[in-house]
């Protein structure tokens, strides 16, 4: 039974991998896009194109792992220039993700709470909206 | 056991021990806080916020609506405020799928930039207090990334700066649950510094920033092409050309945008202008050749394509493809 399914599945995989290769950007385009005009030499380099394609796949995959819908992840990746994307691919884990919450401090330890309360009063930080430093 | 008078001996000891820890904790905290203050933080709040020349002492951007954020959703809320101001009718909940990343419990800066483009607006990053206040005084609200706490306990947060007051030394911003919150220069500098002084303008493509830089504006407009916003991109390039009419890249961008809008005459005009500005660059001739071919002007197309190939350069493979394609079209036409 399994053997019977294997063949068509393998075939399907081969075909889809072949299709994947056709997605390498600008491989067939005869018009030079504005982003390539800006990037100049770099954009013309075939290896750079492949690297960009790989970076896009990487970021898309990471985004999906982080709970972003795959279709949406593709749209997000598409909306960025090669340069912006390379930056993202290299350091997505270290980049700041703004998401400060209203009740952000609830889970924090008491020690952290006290430190931040004091630093808020001094005006070094601004975690609690109810603290208004008089600096 | 429950009576306070009957505390067993060992518990009493523990109590004393705990109070000692308490004292040490407070002493430690005081020392910690005091040692923190001089470290890189100037006590003169105006250091980073000295008034740039030529702007008023106070300014406020009107017409920036306020959306109170939902849990973790300061990114979508801030972007919705800026987009609404720029004339795009969206709610934070519409933007959440575009910018919020659940696994990171927040929104990345690049996601805000990408989402701005998807709504046909130019995302233009700025940095520092001078540009911030200059843009505010020009009537442009600024999304800022701040770290409300410390690098070892980051509380990343987006807010929208809508005003400043040099006299009172205050920044006014829509933030979290607070509409038009007033924060001192001192505090704002502390939290914004930890966000690397990152700010973002969300502009209609026909409106340049107050401190517009040619290449930066054009690169920001080129981002619109990535999302297929060709109409907005064309407007952005045209706006650039009103100020910098010798910009090769802006003419190229206009040509590409018009081509994608199927306005072939305007596209050919733009590429011609670009080729006049840089006659030694094959790029304009290559794109012009493609447009001319699509218009059925094969003879002119062939000349332009040949010119591009003769000039060569990093894109010569593409130029050769263009030439080959036009030769093929010509041959087909003859047959």
């Amino acid at each position: 039974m399994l053997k019977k399914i294997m063949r068509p599945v393998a075939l399907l995989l081969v075909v889809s991998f072949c299709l994947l290769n056709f997605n390498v950007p600008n491989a067939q385009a005869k018009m030079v896009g504005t982003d390539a005009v800006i990037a100049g030499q770099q954009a013309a380099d075939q290896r750079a194109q492949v690297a960009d394609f790989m970076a896009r796949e990487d970021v898309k995959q990471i985004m999906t792992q982080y709970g972003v819908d795959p279709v949406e992840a593709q749209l997000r990746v598409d909306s960025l220039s090669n340069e912006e994307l390379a930056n993202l691919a290299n350091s997505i884990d270290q980049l700041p993700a703004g998401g400060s919450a209203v009740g952000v401090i609830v889970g924090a330890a008491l020690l952290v709470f006290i430190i931040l309360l004091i630093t808020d009063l001094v005006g070094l930080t601004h975690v609690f909206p109810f603290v208004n430093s008089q600096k | 056991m429950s009576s306070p008078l009957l505390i067993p001996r060992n518990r009493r000891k523990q109590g004393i021990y705990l109070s000692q820890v308490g004292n040490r904790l407070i002493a430690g905290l005081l020392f910690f806080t005091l040692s923190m203050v001089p470290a890189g933080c100037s006590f003169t709040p105006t250091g980073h916020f000295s008034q740039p020349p030529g702007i008023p002492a106070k300014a406020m951007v009107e017409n920036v609506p306020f959306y109170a954020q939902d849990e973790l959703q300061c990114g979508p809320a801030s972007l919705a405020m800026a987009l609404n101001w720029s004339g795009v009718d969206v709610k934070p909940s519409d933007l959440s799928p575009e910018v919020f990343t659940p696994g990171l419990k927040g929104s990345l800066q690049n996601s805000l930039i990408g989402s701005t483009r998807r709504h046909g607006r130019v995302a233009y990053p700025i940095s520092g207090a001078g540009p911030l206040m200059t843009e505010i005084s020009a009537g442009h609200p600024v999304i800022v990334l701040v770290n409300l706490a410390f690098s070892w306990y980051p509380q990343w947060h987006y807010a929208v700066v809508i005003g400043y007051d040099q006299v009172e030394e205050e920044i006014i911003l829509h933030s979290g649950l607070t509409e038009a919150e007033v924060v001192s220069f001192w505090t704002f500098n502390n939290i914004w510094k930890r966000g690397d002084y990152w700010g973002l303008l969300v502009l209609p493509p026909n409106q340049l920033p107050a401190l517009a830089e040619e290449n930066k504006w054009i690169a920001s407009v080129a981002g619109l092409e990535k999302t297929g916003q060709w109409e907005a991109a064309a407007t952005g390039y045209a706006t650039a050309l009103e100020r910098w009419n010798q910009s090769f890249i802006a003419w190229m961008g206009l040509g590409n945008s018009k081509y994608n809008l199927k306005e072939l005459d305007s596209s050919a005009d733009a590429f011609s202008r670009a080729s006049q500005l840089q006659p030694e660059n094959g790029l304009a001739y290559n794109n012009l050749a493609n447009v001319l071919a699509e218009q059925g002007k094969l003879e002119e197309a062939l000349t332009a394509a040949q010119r591009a190939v003769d000039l060569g350069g990093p894109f010569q493979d593409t130029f050769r493809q263009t030439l080959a394609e036009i030769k093929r079209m010509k041959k087909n036409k003859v047959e």
Side-chain angles (χ1 to χ4, degrees), chain B residues 285-298:
Chain B
Y285 294 106
N286 174 76
N287 285 13
L288 178 62
N290 281 290
V291 178
L292 290 170
E294 212 159 305
Q295 286 179 312
K297 301 173 183 170
L298 292 180

Side-chain angles (χ1 to χ4, degrees), chain A residues 119-133:
Chain A
T119 54
D120 255 29
L121 282 166
V122 184
L124 269 176
T125 58
H126 191 52
V127 180
F128 310 107
F130 54 84
V131 178
N132 222 335
S133 91

Side-chain angles (χ1 to χ4, degrees), chain B residues 63 69 116 146 155 179 212 221 255 274 317:
Chain B
N63 309 325
Q69 72 167 88
T116 301
V146 294
Q155 298 296 314
E179 183 171 1
V221 172
D317 290 345

Side-chain angles (χ1 to χ4, degrees), chain B residues 125-172:
Chain B
I126 65 165
S127 181
L132 173 79
M133 287 191 278
T134 307
E135 295 299 341
I136 295 292
S137 70
H140 306 144
V142 183
I143 298 176
V144 289
L145 174 73
V146 294
N147 180 355
L148 296 169
F150 292 107
S151 53
W152 47 265
Y153 187 77
Q155 298 296 314
W156 297 108
H157 179 60
Y158 291 108
V160 182
V161 177
I162 56 167
Y164 68 86
D165 186 336
Q166 289 276 353
V167 181
E168 300 292 325
E169 303 196 327
E170 284 165 349
I171 289 285
I172 299 107

